[in-house]
Amino acid sequence: MYAKVIVDVPAKQTNRAFDYEVPSALRKWVEVGSRVGVPFGPRVLQGFVVELQENTQLDVKRIKPIQNVLDLVPPLTDELVMLGRWISHMYLCHEVTALQAMLPAALKAKYERAIGVGEEFGEQSLLDMPDLQAIVAYVKSKGSVPMDALMERFAADGALIKQLLGAGILTEVQVVKDRMSTKKALTVFPPADGSGLEQALSELPARANKQQEVLRYLMEHPHAIRLTELMETVEVGASTVKSLADRGWIELREVEVMRDPYAGRAFARTKPLPLTEEQSRVFAEIRAAVAEERHEVFLLHGVTGSGKTEVYLQSIQQCLDMGKEAIVLVPEISLTPQMVERFKGRFGDLVAVLHSRLSNGERYDEWRKITRKQVKVVIGARSAIFAPFTQIGLIIIDEEHESSYKQEESPKYHTRDVAVKRASMQGSVVVLGSATPSLESLERTRRRQDRAEPPYRLLTMKERVASRPMPPVAIIDMREELKSGNRSMFSTALYKAIEDRLHKKEQIVLLLNRRGYATFVMCRTCGYVSTCPHCDISLTYHQSSRMLRCHYCGYAEREVTECPSCQSKHIRHFGTGTQRVEEELGKIFPGIRVIRMDVDTTTEKGSHEKWLTMFREKQADVLLGTQMVAKGLDFPDVTLVGVIAADTVLNIPDFRSAERTFQLLTQVAGRAGRHEKQGEVFVQTYTPEHYSVQYASQHDFIAFANHELDVRANLGYPPYQRLILVTFSHEQVPLLVRFAEAFVTRLKEIALEYSTKQIDLFADAVSRDNSFQMDVLGPVASPISRIKDRYRFQCVVKYRGEDQAAEIVGRTVAWFEERSSKEKLLISVDVDPQYLM
DNA sequence: AGCACGCCGACT
DNA sequence: GTCGGCGTGCTC
């Protein structure tokens, strides 16, 4: 039997399957999806089995055998292996990179050097010496032994070992191991029927008090118990228990344990809540599709507070009733303890939770609950879409518009598209939920049936549960404030509202989508601006550390008090960041309690939850933060939401900035008045007339979407045309420009090869049919033209119709890498980019 | 990615 | 005359 194996070398030349023999001893362990150790050139590598074949004529001189199998149960399924291939084609990455992305970090290969028995073994007269024989026999019995372990065991024979290595009787070998081992704990096992313990008790000397206590405890509780737990409850030392084990009365051995991050936490069981009329209507649709096992994608547009989660929960229940599994995806930031609680509360131990705050070991153990079929529901961020389930009935993506569903490192996949692909492979239902759906998804609900990519079905929930009204949104024109002499960052209206809430002891959420203190620092005499020496970007001033920081590469320097260019002392901080707002609040409202949440205050593990808990317990009046305060939070006493500057997002030069502004304003407005108390929202802006601000204040997503879709159609942007962003970087500009231009020229040539009568290249008309059109913009300097001392150029491939585009770009990259491999030029390809940066 | 094989400068 | 530079090519 032979296996096709993808080896763990993410390089162009090794991006294909290699053939290996499956030794008969390993036959029943090697399956498609197995992780194996294989000899590759002079070393041993980890690889993934992607195909098995009985017999084939292979045109390779020597087929090597698979060395070992790394898991009892293959960590990947056939389906995930296929999905990996699809991802590698779709998003242009090496196949092994796609497969690796599906596994927890704990399963990343670790290569260890060890000593094994060499091929020279047997014919050597040296072996007559008993000492040598002992060493060789030992190594042989173990297969391979780490060098230090061997030296320790045969400490006196260091010279001999060296000699054996020199003669080739022993050789250095490489062993593939897991990065993370399973956690083991010493566990005490009393005899099965409890018999013999009484006997043992009588045999113990009278003064062996502690041992007697242990025996009595075990007679009362005749089941296995962790040694540490036993030591704690009976208050004895380990030696006491060990001596009982030595006499054979009890058994003491290592048992694999799960690291359960939610161990010891009881989740109150909840029952399905009664559904509103709207909820029932939506639920009926989803339930029917799940019950009929019909692959279908629903876009659930439900306003904030319309009770989407309850619909999810009941749909999952339908899935479980049928013996099938469900995956729930949420943005990392909204995977809060409250969210976990709702799912654990409804489905108890059937839920595995995967998020980035878990340690590698914890995540690995949660993941193994899936492979062991101990759970039926997975709730997690992005990568949970790869949960190795085989009977998926339902995949839910909450807040489907979130850009964090797009992975920014290779493989640069979009979770939504991977989910739809996976669901089509398994025949499962997908529910995309959002109060502000992405325009890509909305557009697909409006497509005609006959397209190659079938349409999604739109489900709508317009009412908030308990008929709570949407909070009124006031738009405040900051230009008017300036005219009337108010130069502070708070408008009069917002100032009064904050004062009022402080007085009433109600809570406030303030949003400013910019961290740090000031966005840039400028000399008022000569106009000098502090910029990063490694990146083409201005430095941000951080008040707490009195440092100027680069938000791209992390470079930091001391605050300047004197202009480095003209020595003037007139240094001024421009632009407002969260730190400055915090300081200002303290000045205007003495005694105000502010919690600031941004990446600077939430890097520590658990800090995110800590701040939210403090706010919930009303230990603060204001929750001030970047977009992380806009998502999914639900606090009953929040009656005021203030957006300090809506323009920060709007002014970013990106075709999605209007959409992002609308989403952000809608999400943050949804934080107010979710309970009995009526809420109020203030949006400060210098562009109050902009349609994204206007429609957000009217809570009118559909009107906004129609407007924005028109804009996109006219400009030829997604969802009507799709994009591939290709970025080049190099330390020298002239070479970079030359290469980027050569790339674009070649790309156009290759694209023309694909030109047939239904493929219409470089047509600029936006017609609504399905023909393939493609255009290349650039190359131009990237918006951030230098990062970490590397200059950046980019080109944007625009296309529509069926996508050979990724293939065309892929072929161009391959052609290009053959010619530029010796230069340190980096090319990065991003299919369906979220940001054109 | 590693690592070997393979052709041209400064040293015992 | 050799030791060693890293350019090119292969790994089942």
Side-chain angles (χ1 to χ4, degrees):
Chain A
M1 189 154 72
Y2 299 94
K4 291 200 174 292
V5 175
I6 303 280
V7 295
D8 184 27
V9 181
K12 189 166 79 68
Q13 290 175 306
T14 49
N15 189 30
R16 63 190 175 91
F18 287 82
D19 297 299
Y20 285 90
E21 186 201 322
V22 182
S24 53
L26 296 181
R27 274 195 186 198
K28 55 173 184 281
W29 300 107
V30 176
E31 295 172 54
V32 170
S34 289
R35 219 161 41 107
V36 291
V38 288
F40 193 72
R43 58 215 168 116
V44 178
L45 291 179
Q46 186 193 86
F48 295 93
V49 176
V50 293
E51 205 182 314
L52 285 172
Q53 39 202 199
E54 245 351 287
N55 54 338
T56 32
Q57 53 281 37
L58 298 162
D59 50 348
V60 190
K61 296 140 258 149
R62 193 163 92 93
I63 300 263
K64 292 183 182 174
I66 288 175
Q67 188 184 278
N68 58 337
V69 181
L70 296 167
D71 316 87
L72 293 176
V73 182
L76 296 173
T77 61
D78 297 30
E79 183 230 346
L80 287 172
V81 167
M82 277 169 63
L83 187 68
R85 175 155 307 165
W86 179 81
I87 287 176
S88 71
H89 290 154
M90 179 78 190
Y91 296 104
L92 298 175
C93 69
H94 302 121
E95 207 166 330
V96 70
T97 311
L99 295 175
Q100 206 80 66
M102 299 177 171
L103 300 178
L107 293 185
K108 232 177 160 302
K110 190 176 104 181
Y111 300 104
E112 207 172 68
R113 289 185 180 276
I115 304 300
V117 177
E119 290 181 6
E120 306 292 310
F121 177 69
E123 27 158 328
Q124 299 283 334
S125 55
L126 273 171
L127 283 174
D128 292 345
M129 294 171 64
D131 284 6
L132 293 180
Q133 277 175 354
I135 297 171
V136 174
Y138 176 73
V139 173
K140 207 178 175 191
S141 74
K142 289 263 175 178
S144 67
V145 185
M147 187 63 189
D148 48 350
L150 191 69
M151 293 301 277
E152 201 177 304
R153 194 182 163 101
F154 298 98
D157 301 315
L160 281 180
I161 292 172
K162 214 171 169 187
Q163 214 178 330
L164 286 168
L165 280 168
I169 296 172
L170 294 181
T171 54
E172 203 176 17
V173 295
Q174 225 177 12
V175 187
V176 187
K177 281 198 154 180
D178 281 355
R179 188 151 297 231
M180 181 72 52
S181 54
T182 51
K183 189 175 169 183
K184 301 250 172 83
L186 273 173
T187 305
V188 176
F189 292 85
D193 46 0
S195 70
L197 288 184
E198 249 168 279
Q199 167 99 35
L201 201 54
S202 65
E203 280 180 33
L204 274 174
R207 59 196 161 73
N209 266 326
K210 286 290 180 188
Q211 295 193 39
Q212 287 173 18
E213 272 179 55
V214 172
L215 288 178
R216 276 194 216 100
Y217 178 85
L218 289 173
M219 283 160 73
E220 271 172 51
H221 310 270
H223 39 251
I225 180 170
R226 285 241 210 127
L227 178 61
T228 47
E229 203 183 319
L230 182 66
M231 283 160 60
E232 247 171 62
T233 33
V234 194
E235 293 186 327
V236 292
S239 59
T240 313
V241 184
K242 286 217 174 85
S243 52
L244 286 169
D246 288 344
R247 299 181 70 166
W249 290 327
I250 58 170
E251 202 187 331
L252 187 59
R253 64 186 148 90
E254 295 259 15
V255 166
E256 196 180 292
V257 293
M258 290 287 192
R259 287 154 281 216
D260 185 351
Y262 299 98
R265 272 190 61 183
F267 292 94
R269 288 309 284 254
T270 61
K271 292 232 166 61
L273 304 172
L275 299 179
T276 65
E277 197 191 315
E278 259 187 350
Q279 283 175 317
S280 334
R281 195 167 36 71
V282 164
F283 172 57
E285 294 273 2
I286 298 169
R287 206 201 48 163
V290 172
E292 290 165 30
E293 304 188 298
R294 149 161 58 89
H295 167 59
E296 187 152 8
V297 183
F298 293 103
L299 175 61
L300 172 53
H301 172 217
V303 298
T304 53
S306 59
K308 290 188 285 289
T309 311
E310 188 58 31
V311 174
Y312 300 158
L313 290 167
Q314 297 195 20
S315 304
I316 293 166
Q317 187 61 55
Q318 166 68 28
C319 220
L320 299 185
D321 291 346
M322 296 171 62
K324 299 186 91 179
E325 301 136 342
I327 298 176
V328 184
L329 300 169
V330 293
E332 183 65 56
I333 205 78
S334 54
L335 193 49
T336 55
Q338 307 153 40
M339 187 81 180
V340 171
E341 213 161 298
R342 280 194 85 172
F343 281 81
K344 286 256 185 186
R346 193 67 62 87
F347 306 115
D349 291 339
L350 288 176
V351 182
V353 183
L354 296 168
H355 59 83
S356 68
R357 303 271 165 166
L358 298 178
S359 71
N360 279 347
E362 286 171 340
R363 192 163 335 117
Y364 178 39
D365 287 347
E366 286 292 299
W367 183 82
R368 279 191 306 154
K369 287 183 190 166
I370 305 166
T371 52
R372 293 172 171 203
K373 308 211 173 291
Q374 288 172 357
V375 294
K376 290 278 185 184
V377 180
V378 168
I379 173 166
R382 204 163 52 211
S383 64
I385 190 55
F386 300 119
F389 281 145
T390 50
Q391 294 287 309
I392 301 173
L394 178 64
I395 301 174
I396 290 167
I397 306 188
D398 192 31
E399 309 286 351
E400 69 91 27
H401 62 278
E402 273 290 312
S403 61
S404 65
Y405 281 124
K406 182 80 194 312
Q407 174 137 61
E408 293 293 334
E409 306 91 61
S410 183
K412 300 185 176 183
Y413 64 89
H414 199 299
T415 312
R416 184 209 304 134
D417 299 329
V418 173
V420 171
K421 178 67 184 174
R422 221 188 152 185
S424 75
M425 289 163 80
Q426 288 212 17
S428 15
V429 175
V430 179
V431 175
L432 308 173
S434 176
T436 52
S438 64
L439 295 179
E440 280 84 350
S441 297
L442 183 71
E443 191 268 343
R444 265 188 84 165
T445 66
R446 297 176 175 184
R447 274 192 195 171
R448 281 172 32 198
Q449 195 72 41
D450 55 357
R451 294 279 294 262
E453 296 174 321
Y456 297 166
R457 253 172 73 198
L458 182 64
L459 303 172
T460 309
M461 298 202 298
K462 290 181 182 140
E463 303 287 327
R464 290 180 129 187
V465 280
S467 308
R468 285 183 190 113
M470 295 301 286
V473 177
I475 302 173
I476 298 159
D477 188 343
M478 292 304 275
R479 294 170 305 192
E480 293 298 322
E481 293 288 322
L482 210 56
K483 270 188 210 156
S484 57
N486 177 8
R487 300 188 60 191
S488 108
M489 63 182 77
F490 301 107
S491 58
T492 316
L494 183 56
Y495 172 87
K496 287 210 169 119
I498 294 174
E499 197 175 39
D500 172 61
R501 294 320 188 288
L502 289 176
H503 182 69
K504 289 197 210 150
K505 308 243 180 296
E506 292 174 351
Q507 288 181 297
I508 303 158
V509 168
L510 291 180
L511 175 109
L512 178 64
N513 201 28
R514 200 191 272 143
R515 67 194 176 98
Y517 183 84
T519 34
F520 62 101
V521 177
M522 192 172 90
C523 166
R524 297 187 73 182
T525 308
C526 72
Y528 171 88
V529 175
S530 291
T531 54
C532 176
H534 308 288
C535 310
D536 178 48
I537 193 139
S538 54
L539 295 172
T540 301
Y541 178 60
H542 285 241
Q543 172 79 1
S544 53
S545 54
R546 306 193 138 258
M547 297 285 259
L548 295 166
R549 282 220 157 81
C550 170
H551 285 186
Y552 282 84
C553 73
Y555 168 85
E557 64 179 42
R558 296 299 301 270
E559 164 192 25
V560 285
T561 48
E562 187 176 276
C563 174
S565 158
C566 73
Q567 281 75 46
S568 150
K569 304 248 182 203
H570 295 281
I571 303 288
R572 214 189 126 179
H573 297 156
F574 287 87
T576 303
T578 44
Q579 282 189 16
R580 188 163 187 175
V581 178
E582 184 181 21
E583 185 188 280
E584 197 74 7
L585 279 169
K587 273 189 205 155
I588 309 177
F589 306 102
I592 193 170
R593 299 166 304 166
V594 180
I595 289 175
R596 176 163 62 89
M597 266 180 56
D598 52 37
V599 276
D600 299 315
T601 64
T602 54
T603 44
E604 213 177 297
K605 183 174 171 164
S607 53
H608 194 247
E609 288 75 30
K610 187 184 78 191
W611 295 129
L612 293 179
T613 307
M614 274 178 71
F615 191 61
R616 176 175 303 279
E617 290 169 355
K618 301 198 73 171
Q619 294 178 47
D621 310 301
V622 178
L623 180 65
L624 160 71
T626 53
Q627 46 200 317
M628 64 176 76
V629 302
K631 313 272 159 69
L633 308 178
D634 189 354
F635 300 107
D637 285 314
V638 171
T639 58
L640 173 64
V641 168
V643 179
I644 307 287
D647 316 84
T648 50
V649 184
L650 201 51
N651 289 337
I652 295 169
D654 188 285
F655 72 92
R656 273 187 242 265
S657 60
E659 185 181 7
R660 291 220 179 81
T661 301
F662 181 87
Q663 288 166 353
L664 191 63
L665 295 181
T666 304
Q667 298 290 338
V668 76
R671 302 309 114 215
R674 291 172 71 92
H675 295 261
E676 288 76 25
K677 292 173 188 161
Q678 172 69 31
E680 218 181 347
V681 181
F682 288 88
V683 176
Q684 301 188 153
T685 174
Y686 288 93
T687 44
E689 65 286 348
H690 193 276
Y691 61 93
S692 61
V693 178
Q694 285 294 331
Y695 288 127
S697 76
Q698 293 156 24
H699 307 287
D700 195 343
F701 168 73
I702 294 297
F704 165 77
N706 288 338
H707 188 134
E708 180 69 8
L709 282 173
D710 262 358
V711 173
R712 302 281 181 91
N714 289 332
L715 297 175
Y717 273 114
Y720 299 105
Q721 298 206 28
R722 298 180 70 172
L723 307 178
I724 300 176
L725 174 69
V726 185
T727 306
F728 312 87
S729 73
H730 195 275
E731 290 181 4
Q732 290 159 35
V733 175
L735 186 139
L736 180 62
V737 173
R738 213 170 60 239
F739 273 123
E741 274 167 359
F743 182 92
V744 170
T745 308
R746 182 65 190 153
L747 176 65
K748 288 179 175 173
E749 276 169 28
I750 292 184
L752 281 170
E753 287 172 25
Y754 280 69
S755 177
T756 63
K757 56 176 179 267
Q758 71 268 42
I759 293 176
D760 173 19
L761 284 162
F762 316 121
D764 44 14
V766 179
S767 58
R768 304 258 165 182
D769 69 19
N770 205 20
S771 63
F772 181 75
Q773 294 181 357
M774 185 171 148
D775 199 359
V776 188
L777 312 179
V780 295
S782 298
I784 298 160
S785 64
R786 187 173 54 131
I787 294 181
K788 294 185 193 173
D789 290 323
R790 299 183 67 94
Y791 290 92
R792 294 149 45 85
F793 263 67
Q794 65 181 31
C795 70
V796 176
V797 180
K798 263 188 178 181
Y799 68 98
R800 57 186 211 88
E802 298 324 306
D803 45 42
Q804 293 119 120
E807 192 184 321
I808 294 170
V809 173
R811 278 187 51 196
T812 314
V813 171
W815 172 88
F816 201 72
E817 278 176 344
E818 273 168 32
R819 261 140 277 254
S820 67
S821 57
K822 52 187 172 291
E823 310 292 342
K824 281 175 259 150
L825 185 86
L826 291 181
I827 306 181
S828 136
V829 180
D830 190 349
V831 177
D832 297 336
Q834 292 300 297
Y835 301 91
L836 291 184
M837 306 268 259

